[in-house]
Amino acid sequence: MGTARDSGQRALEARSHNLLGMAYGQTGRMDESLAEFRHASELWEVLDDRHQLARASNNLGILARLRGDLLEAVRCHERAIRLFHEAGDDNGRARALTNLGVVHQRLGHHAEAISAHERAVEIFRAQDDQYRLGQTMGDLAKAARLAGRYGESIECYEESLRVVRLTGSRLNEAEQLWGLPTRCTTSANGTPPARAGAPLWTSCATAVNSRTTKRKGCWPIPFRNHRQPYAGTSERCAGSPR
């Protein structure tokens, strides 16, 4: 009885550290956020809870990316992917793969970014997770564009738009429209596609600007489920919505 009670208390403490870490991150207090996520991770390690440890690793990876420590972010997300796999959580593994792909994009590792996003897309498609599929197709489109694979990028953006429109998410629709140029033609020497005027937009673009605020040094605003840490929802997150 005593052991079970102690375990329950530690689990509650770990969740509290995770929530506090998210709160600190959302207000730009990154050092405190890091400390809280590390406390949570240590407690889940003691409890040998692979699923919660995977979430904690994913959150630490997101925080490392925000702090500019991209190599540490790669290590954390790769660990999260392995732990989610061990815990049998394919959706969590896909979210961590998406986060890993974003970090590889920042590092200029285009092949690795595309591979991570493609693996995530495969899982979300198999699970019929339309919301995250639409987001991740947009990430894949961006990765392909940065790699100079413009035709593939357009195809991915178009599929992303089709999917996000089915989910009714106007914010996600605006985000994909922002990435999709009005005209894509690659010249003979392989230069980037031309943009005939501004990127496509709809009235929802105004909503993105009015309903979200980019705060430098703060945790991403919860408008993309898979870019934030878990409070218990996706980012594509591990703690909360990715």
Side-chain angles (χ1 to χ4, degrees):
M1 265 310 263
T3 301
R5 189 179 300 111
D6 289 344
S7 295
Q9 184 63 35
R10 285 178 175 171
L12 180 60
E13 184 180 349
R15 291 190 177 93
S16 297
H17 280 302
N18 187 64
L19 289 170
L20 187 55
M22 292 184 64
Y24 280 141
Q26 289 170 340
T27 55
R29 298 166 64 177
M30 294 303 176
D31 289 339
E32 292 98 324
S33 181
L34 178 62
E36 295 301 327
F37 283 141
R38 282 177 173 168
H39 283 315
S41 182
E42 290 167 1
L43 286 167
W44 293 126
E45 190 88 60
V46 171
L47 293 167
D48 195 27
D49 189 322
R50 315 305 281 175
H51 190 248
Q52 293 295 345
L53 193 54
R55 290 185 167 193
S57 295
N58 197 41
N59 285 345
L60 284 168
I62 297 170
L63 187 59
R65 172 170 57 82
L66 292 174
R67 291 165 60 91
D69 191 348
L70 300 182
L71 295 181
E72 176 63 17
V74 168
R75 287 190 287 271
C76 289
H77 289 313
E78 286 181 340
R79 186 184 188 216
I81 291 165
R82 175 176 57 79
L83 290 167
F84 275 127
H85 177 69
E86 292 176 2
D89 183 351
D90 287 338
N91 196 272
R93 181 162 58 94
R95 295 194 300 266
L97 279 164
T98 298
N99 291 328
L100 178 63
V102 170
V103 178
H104 277 308
Q105 285 176 203
R106 298 280 181 87
L107 287 166
H109 301 163
H110 302 308
E112 291 87 345
I114 289 171
S115 175
H117 290 316
E118 286 179 337
R119 291 163 65 194
V121 162
E122 183 179 350
I123 294 171
F124 290 138
R125 200 189 300 280
Q127 295 183 335
D128 197 27
D129 188 337
Q130 297 294 298
Y131 184 78
R132 295 189 180 97
L133 175 60
Q135 289 180 328
T136 307
M137 286 302 303
D139 290 328
L140 178 57
K142 181 177 180 180
R145 175 171 57 81
L146 291 173
R149 293 157 60 169
Y150 304 117
E152 293 177 38
S153 177
I154 292 302
E155 290 177 4
C156 291
Y157 272 128
E158 289 175 343
E159 181 173 355
S160 176
L161 270 173
R162 179 184 61 77
V163 174
V164 298
R165 281 170 175 161
L166 288 175
T167 67
S169 174
R170 298 289 281 167
L171 290 175
N172 283 337
E173 181 180 355
E175 185 174 10
Q176 305 316 318
L177 285 169
W178 174 258
L180 180 65
T182 57
R183 178 169 60 90
C184 275
T185 55
T186 306
S187 66
N189 63 7
T191 56
R195 288 176 181 267
L200 293 175
W201 274 97
T202 61
S203 60
C204 58
T206 302
V208 173
N209 290 329
S210 63
R211 293 170 58 184
T212 64
T213 302
K214 296 290 185 179
R215 292 174 296 173
K216 186 176 181 180
C218 297
W219 201 278
I221 301 299
F223 109 34
R224 294 210 53 179
N225 209 21
H226 74 269
R227 291 278 186 276
Q228 304 165 35
Y230 273 137
T233 84
S234 135
E235 206 175 2
R236 285 173 302 209
C237 233
S240 145
R242 261 222 287 226

